[in-house]
Amino acid sequence: MNYETLLERALSKIPEKAKKYSKYEIPEVDSTIIGSRTVIHNFKEVAEKLNRNTDFLLKYLVRELATSGVIEETRVVLQGKFTKEQIDNLIKEFAKYYVICPSCGKLDTRIIKEGRLSFLICDVCGAKNPVKSLS
Ligand SMILES: [Zn+2]
């Protein structure tokens, strides 16, 4: 047996790269109250982990907190004082309604629009469930 054959054999024994699964956990915010405003430093990261765009997540937060907020690059600045717990709870709620697949509980989902309706499509189990509109 020549070297090349041996090498090939050895390589074929290496297990296939573990399939990439996302972490099935809801990200936590890193926030600070500055004066009368609240800054969420890792807003972009949180949105990315949830696989939702920042505008959509912000729209949800400002509606629930009855305030206004602006995205500044990777962070968001909300008018008013909000604790990390308050925001984390809202992120969990958001995930429950707009991210987690009701059929299998995974976070690998996306929202598609069909006419005036929105659906949550799960990339893991393929389920399609209607989602509440945000506006
Ligand atoms: Zn699913």
Side-chain angles (χ1 to χ4, degrees), residues 15-130:
E16 258 182 72
K17 225 184 220 177
K19 235 183 166 186
K20 204 184 151 204
Y21 287 109
S22 49
K23 283 181 189 166
Y24 301 122
E25 52 189 46
I26 313 296
E28 285 188 17
V29 298
D30 170 19
S31 66
T32 321
I33 295 169
I34 300 171
S36 59
R37 290 189 252 184
T38 306
V39 179
I40 303 174
H41 305 281
N42 61 343
F43 188 73
K44 191 165 178 256
E45 194 190 318
V46 169
E48 275 170 5
K49 281 189 180 164
L50 293 171
N51 201 19
R52 291 296 172 268
N53 72 48
T54 46
D55 289 338
F56 185 62
L57 181 58
L58 181 63
K59 201 170 161 187
Y60 178 81
L61 285 184
V62 297
R63 192 191 65 180
E64 294 300 309
L65 295 167
T67 184
S68 62
V70 284
I71 294 169
E72 291 180 352
E73 291 177 29
T74 59
R75 57 182 203 162
V76 89
V77 180
L78 298 169
Q79 294 294 329
K81 298 177 191 178
F82 305 102
T83 63
K84 173 178 152 52
E85 287 70 32
Q86 253 181 308
I87 303 166
D88 278 339
N89 281 335
L90 282 177
I91 300 281
K92 278 181 202 145
E93 287 282 295
F94 176 86
K96 198 164 88 185
Y97 293 121
Y98 299 104
V99 185
I100 297 170
C101 170
S103 304
C104 73
K106 302 287 198 279
L107 270 67
D108 291 300
T109 60
R110 61 208 143 85
I111 288 175
I112 59 150
K113 284 202 167 176
E114 284 182 9
R116 293 169 60 201
L117 298 172
S118 295
F119 295 91
L120 190 70
I121 306 288
C122 178
D123 288 332
V124 180
C125 73
K128 179 179 175 183
N129 291 283

